Amino acid sequence: MIWLNWRQFRLQALAAAVGLALIAVYLLYLGTEIRDAHDAYQSRCADPGDCAQAKSQFQSAYQNTLLFLAGGLGLIPVVIGAFWGAPLIARELEISTHRLVWNQSVTRRRWLICRMAFVGLAAMILTGLASLLLTWAAAPYDAVAADRFGAVEFGARNVAPIGYAFLAFILGTLVGLLVRRTLPAMAITGVVFLVLQFSVPNLVRPYLMPSEKTTLPMTTQIINEARSLGSITGAPVIGGLQVPGAPDAWISETSPLRTADGRTLGDSKFNECLDTPPKTGTGGTFGDTAACLSKLNLHVDIKYQPGSRYWQFQLIETGLYLAVSGLLILIALQRIRRA
């Protein structure tokens, strides 16, 4: 069975090896470059006045590149599910070559287990190595940006991508077994897993562990440290805050700006500070607007996960994907008896 699996999988394995080699060369180069830039950034931080600007320049130089790479790594499980998982059984059923195998001494279940184990292991190794390389390359940037919980970044670092890849492969295999046609199975697998990748960070991950809660007073400094202020609807919202003393915390929910009595700040008062704030000469990202809002005695209520829980989330989410994969394997083993 091992020899047969290798014969059927060798072209995909070769393509994956070449792709991984290219990824490795680029990420080794990028990681070295990021480390040199990080050393230069730290040398400029000897003067506190230059440190903020140096940090901003360092982050902006690599933010888009690393985000693009994380998104690309997030697509590897989709490709694995669609091009490795979906055709695995569907192609055999579509061209009826399964009859030859099932007439031998190997049982259907054993044949299916061997095929899933062989290719599934390859999928996990490929994705795990790519994830390891990206995690290494981005390590200095991640330490400065403190955004490891980002929806895209989280799924492209450390062990979580391994669980994603295995689930995508098993999902594709099961879909191919049910649909029995290769191209429809590939399309269904790709769409389903993309929806899953979007849904888990937004609908599941925030609830894997109970959130911590706190209230942040909206001082001029805190407002100026935010990434966004307001929305296209004019609502009194603020985004991209940091928990004081815990810059690597993941803020999963932020309330609108609230007054001292707990009511949401009125849109008109908020837009007045946003559009025509009194001239005070205040510096920072939002300047006079930040000073205007800080005088209103505002606060926001936030829910967050401490940065110390990062590895717990990584392991819980990976375990969740593996558990779902195990369930799909059981369904596939039951279905193969009636194929």
Side-chain angles (χ1 to χ4, degrees):
M1 285 298 295
I2 295 177
W3 180 85
L4 177 61
N5 283 324
W6 168 247
R7 289 277 299 177
Q8 293 182 308
F9 185 65
R10 65 186 186 278
L11 292 179
Q12 294 96 316
L14 178 61
V18 172
L20 182 61
L22 294 175
I23 291 172
V25 170
Y26 176 71
L27 288 179
L28 289 172
Y29 164 77
L30 180 65
T32 303
E33 181 181 301
I34 290 176
R35 280 158 175 75
D36 291 341
H38 183 258
D39 291 342
Y41 147 67
Q42 287 188 315
S43 67
R44 291 177 59 185
C45 278
D47 182 355
D50 294 335
C51 193
Q53 182 180 6
K55 177 180 179 180
S56 177
Q57 290 176 346
F58 173 68
Q59 288 184 243
S60 62
Y62 297 102
Q63 182 179 22
N64 291 336
T65 299
L66 290 174
L67 189 63
F68 175 80
L69 289 172
L73 181 60
L75 289 177
I76 291 179
V78 180
V79 173
I80 287 173
F83 288 89
W84 289 10
L88 190 72
I89 308 300
R91 185 189 297 114
E92 302 274 5
L93 297 174
E94 195 170 24
I95 61 178
S96 298
T97 53
H98 65 289
R99 301 182 187 278
L100 176 63
V101 177
W102 291 352
N103 284 326
Q104 308 302 315
S105 59
V106 178
T107 65
R108 296 185 183 190
R109 286 186 172 183
R110 183 185 173 190
W111 173 74
L112 180 60
I113 290 174
C114 289
R115 298 226 59 189
M116 288 193 296
F118 189 89
V119 184
L121 181 61
M124 296 172 75
I125 292 174
L126 169 66
T127 311
L129 290 175
S131 172
L132 179 65
L133 288 165
L134 180 57
T135 301
W136 173 83
Y141 174 88
D142 289 343
V144 174
D147 192 26
R148 296 186 300 169
F149 277 103
V152 178
E153 291 84 353
F154 184 90
R157 306 283 200 273
N158 298 301
V159 300
I162 298 175
Y164 301 165
F166 189 65
L167 176 58
F169 168 71
I170 297 300
L171 175 65
T173 302
L174 178 59
V175 171
L177 181 59
L178 296 175
V179 176
R180 303 174 68 93
R181 297 188 61 188
T182 303
L183 291 180
M186 293 172 66
I188 293 171
T189 300
V191 171
V192 170
F193 199 76
L194 284 173
V195 171
L196 192 67
Q197 283 186 312
F198 175 81
S199 301
V200 169
N202 297 286
L203 303 178
V204 178
R205 189 178 300 156
Y207 307 102
L208 292 177
M209 296 183 68
S211 301
E212 300 288 338
K213 299 179 181 179
T214 190
T215 297
L216 290 183
M218 289 293 96
T219 64
T220 300
Q221 179 181 352
I222 289 179
I223 295 173
N224 274 325
E225 290 175 351
R227 296 179 184 173
S228 63
L229 189 61
S231 68
I232 58 175
T233 62
V237 296
I238 187 169
L241 294 170
Q242 291 185 345
V243 179
D248 59 344
W250 171 34
I251 296 180
S252 56
E253 185 177 325
T254 304
S255 72
L257 294 169
R258 289 175 174 164
T259 57
D261 59 2
R263 297 181 180 180
T264 299
L265 178 66
D267 291 357
S268 59
K269 191 64 178 177
F270 174 72
N271 289 318
E272 182 181 332
C273 281
L274 195 64
D275 299 330
T276 57
K279 300 299 181 182
T280 61
T282 303
T285 305
F286 300 105
D288 292 332
T289 294
C292 177
L293 291 172
S294 67
K295 293 178 181 179
L296 301 179
N297 193 22
L298 302 173
H299 69 273
V300 294
D301 297 320
I302 65 172
K303 294 181 180 180
Y304 72 97
Q305 299 287 351
S308 59
R309 295 180 179 177
Y310 174 80
W311 272 105
Q312 290 174 270
F313 271 88
Q314 279 271 324
L315 295 175
I316 290 173
E317 191 164 320
T318 303
L320 178 63
Y321 274 84
L322 294 178
V324 174
S325 300
L327 179 61
L328 297 183
I329 289 173
L330 292 178
I331 296 174
L333 291 176
Q334 289 295 322
R335 178 65 184 177
I336 196 70
R337 299 174 62 185
R338 302 190 299 271

